[in-house]
Amino acid sequence: MTGSPNGSMQTFLSEFQKDLAQGLLSPRVWNDPDLHQAELERIFTRCWVFVGHVSEIPTPGDYVLRYIGEDQFIMVRDEQGEIQLLFNSCMHRGSPVCRAEKGNASHFRCPYHGWIYKNSGDWNGAPQRARAYRKLDAAAWGLRKAPHVDTYQGLIFACLDPEAVSLREYLGDACWYLDVLFGLSEQGTSVAGDPHRWIVPSNWKSGADNFVGDAYHVQSLHQSLLEIDVLKGLGQDNSGGSFHIAVEGGHGFIGGRRSLPEPWGIMDYPPEVFSTFDLDRLDPSQRKFLEDGYGMFGFTIFPNLSFFQSLPNSDPNEPPRVFTLLRQWQPKGPEKFELWNWSVQWNSAPDEYNQAAYTAGVGAFGPSGIFEQDDTVAWAGGPPTGRSVFARQTMKLNYQMGMDGMGDYAIRTDWMGPGEVSTSPYGDMNQRRWWQRWSDQLMS
Ligand code: FES
Ligand SMILES: [Fe+2]
């Protein structure tokens, strides 16, 4: 691990935090190569980072390639059933030992000189071993691997910092909301196939910043969807009754009111789906959240995992369907990221419903999704602004919405769950807290 940030970085970050306290943000964050390097060193090698869903590797030997920051790992279930995150780089000359995106293998054999590793990462042999490596200490030459891998509600996270807190502690109060979203059925959830992925000409933080709390953009950026009735049921202010939930650690949720009449039930699921849920799995306050008609439209778990659950009506010509997406913003340099998008479904729900929800989700978000096209074009504005000398000299971006006296945004005092919860969507509380965590993490 590298030491503390250098002087000019430290000065920038202290200045950044002073600005943030006033709701201001330097455009430098959208393109800066030094900040990008610092993120790789201080965020992606220290935080718990989402790497996939348990349903992607159900049996021993199953593997998929995954990323933490810009490093490629093999996420594999070993012969003991444990999930391993193996750095995909041979200990001999650094060649990738696994070239396929997914598959099933008991061993990985490096194509360069033929060193072999078990799917636990242990070194398992080399050609001509007796003549070439008779004295090699096999125990020392296994693939490097993430020291911590753990799961919560089917989501797999890994952490490269040996000293890290547990995943449960890292997620903290976010767990209360993850239980509500993913813990309703003993049969759990699975992802529908591989994630869609594509390149976006923007900085990865744009996605995290949007999904942690930006309900405000829907009425303008997605206005064409309002015009063609895709966003029916959002109510008079086009917000869907949304509000913010901020928990410790920079994690934030966009809560919302569910609005469909009976027979639709909790979180706007139809009877054939919600009848498969067992609400006794939740504690009374979590049940109250659902029974009072609340749900969640989005979240970001710091740093780069987000979530979206469908608005009341995603296709005017079809019955409403709740689709659920996990989205990840994978950095690829300071001015580019790869967007990964998984569709999540309930194992207990009828196949027909899951298929229809999948189709609705792909139509909204994905390489050709009607929401996605709006969002990613807007986010592409970040890097050119960040790299502009003029912008750096004259601009600070506005994150003041909902600050004291700015509007009618307030914190609720009567909330059944953890975190700070707002009375309206017209605030940047979640975004400011995400950026506070970002800067704290870079300064640590
Ligand atoms: S680089 Fe892998 S065996 Fe030589
Ligand atoms: Fe959007």
Side-chain angles (χ1 to χ4, degrees):
M1 210 63 73
T2 46
S4 58
N6 64 34
S8 68
M9 176 71 71
Q10 200 64 260
T11 309
F12 169 77
L13 290 168
S14 336
E15 201 61 33
F16 176 92
Q17 294 201 332
K18 274 188 220 140
D19 283 346
L20 188 62
Q22 298 177 60
L24 302 173
L25 201 88
S26 165
R28 180 177 162 184
V29 301
W30 297 128
N31 86 313
D32 191 278
D34 293 338
L35 285 174
H36 182 70
Q37 186 57 33
E39 288 168 355
L40 296 179
E41 290 173 10
R42 298 171 185 284
I43 293 177
F44 288 98
T45 55
R46 293 181 180 178
C47 293
W48 282 89
V49 176
F50 178 74
V51 284
H53 192 275
V54 290
S55 61
E56 294 183 277
I57 49 168
T59 54
D62 287 348
Y63 70 85
V64 288
L65 296 187
R66 289 295 138 95
Y67 291 85
I68 297 180
E70 296 184 2
D71 291 345
Q72 189 181 67
F73 290 80
I74 311 165
M75 181 172 91
V76 57
R77 195 175 288 276
D78 70 19
E79 299 306 303
Q80 273 63 53
E82 297 293 317
I83 300 171
Q84 305 281 356
L85 252 283
L86 310 175
F87 187 45
N88 190 14
S89 177
C90 181
M91 293 295 285
H92 184 231
R93 294 289 189 276
S95 265
V97 298
C98 177
R99 301 270 173 170
E101 282 289 333
K102 62 186 286 193
N104 183 284
S106 60
H107 294 77
F108 297 101
R109 181 179 179 275
C110 178
Y112 196 174
H113 309 89
W115 279 27
I116 295 168
Y117 304 89
K118 292 181 188 170
N119 60 13
S120 59
D122 292 347
W123 195 86
N124 196 56
Q128 306 290 349
R129 183 176 183 190
R131 295 180 62 195
Y133 288 110
R134 203 167 41 242
K135 286 194 171 168
L136 187 91
D137 175 10
W141 292 97
L143 295 172
R144 299 296 93 151
K145 58 167 101 167
H148 303 291
V149 180
D150 202 354
T151 67
Y152 195 80
Q153 293 291 9
L155 312 180
I156 309 171
F157 294 81
C159 183
L160 300 183
D161 179 1
E163 314 294 325
V165 298
S166 70
L167 176 62
R168 184 68 185 68
E169 195 177 331
Y170 180 85
L171 293 173
D173 284 337
C175 291
W176 193 95
Y177 297 96
L178 294 177
D179 292 344
V180 169
L181 288 172
F182 299 114
L184 299 178
S185 156
E186 190 171 353
Q187 294 175 55
T189 58
S190 51
V191 291
D194 302 321
H196 287 130
R197 38 182 111 166
W198 64 101
I199 297 286
V200 178
S202 181
N203 182 278
W204 68 273
K205 298 188 290 298
S206 287
D209 174 275
N210 181 283
F211 278 73
V212 81
D214 196 332
Y216 181 56
H217 77 292
V218 176
Q219 60 193 329
S220 46
L221 186 64
H222 300 306
Q223 194 186 13
S224 61
L225 307 183
L226 289 162
E227 285 165 6
I228 60 170
D229 257 4
V230 167
L231 291 180
K232 211 154 50 172
L234 279 183
Q236 275 196 334
D237 67 353
N238 294 325
S239 76
S242 59
F243 54 90
H244 293 137
I245 305 164
V247 299
E248 287 298 314
H251 318 306
F253 295 78
I254 304 174
R257 291 299 285 211
R258 295 301 175 165
S259 59
L260 293 178
E262 291 198 6
W264 275 273
I266 55 160
M267 296 206 278
D268 283 345
Y269 280 106
E272 70 266 29
V273 180
F274 76 70
S275 63
T276 70
F277 296 156
D278 175 10
L279 296 194
D280 290 338
R281 296 169 58 80
L282 302 177
D283 75 25
S285 61
Q286 290 168 317
R287 281 184 71 134
K288 182 168 165 51
F289 174 90
L290 292 175
E291 286 165 357
D292 284 0
Y294 291 106
M296 278 166 268
F297 294 145
F299 72 58
T300 296
I301 299 293
F302 188 90
N304 67 334
L305 171 66
S306 293
F307 159 96
F308 184 82
Q309 196 161 73
S310 60
L311 296 155
N313 196 353
S314 51
D315 182 337
N317 302 311
E318 299 282 350
R321 289 163 187 133
V322 179
F323 62 84
T324 302
L325 307 172
L326 288 169
R327 340 207 63 222
Q328 194 168 26
W329 327 101
Q330 309 270 20
K332 301 284 176 203
E335 300 201 0
K336 201 163 72 172
F337 70 86
E338 197 166 302
L339 210 172
W340 288 39
N341 189 62
W342 291 258
S343 292
V344 183
Q345 55 196 27
W346 291 104
N347 295 331
S348 59
D351 286 349
E352 212 172 63
Y353 182 84
N354 281 337
Q355 182 60 46
Y358 174 82
T359 308
V362 170
F365 289 93
S368 61
I370 50 176
F371 286 81
E372 198 83 67
Q373 296 174 42
D374 295 342
D375 289 328
T376 48
V377 168
W379 300 342
T385 303
R387 90 174 81 92
S388 157
V389 175
F390 184 62
R392 286 197 187 190
Q393 287 170 345
T394 61
M395 279 174 75
K396 292 279 163 65
L397 304 171
N398 187 301
Y399 276 71
Q400 294 176 327
M401 186 164 61
M403 288 179 84
D404 257 358
M406 185 61 78
D408 58 9
Y409 192 83
I411 300 300
R412 288 180 63 150
T413 50
D414 58 342
W415 186 244
M416 74 290 282
E420 281 179 82
V421 179
S422 72
T423 52
S424 98
Y426 301 116
D428 290 325
M429 169 176 73
N430 281 18
Q431 290 93 321
R432 287 193 301 271
R433 292 173 64 134
W434 188 94
W435 285 103
Q436 183 69 40
R437 172 71 194 268
W438 174 83
S439 54
D440 286 345
Q441 195 72 37
L442 292 186
M443 290 173 97
S444 65

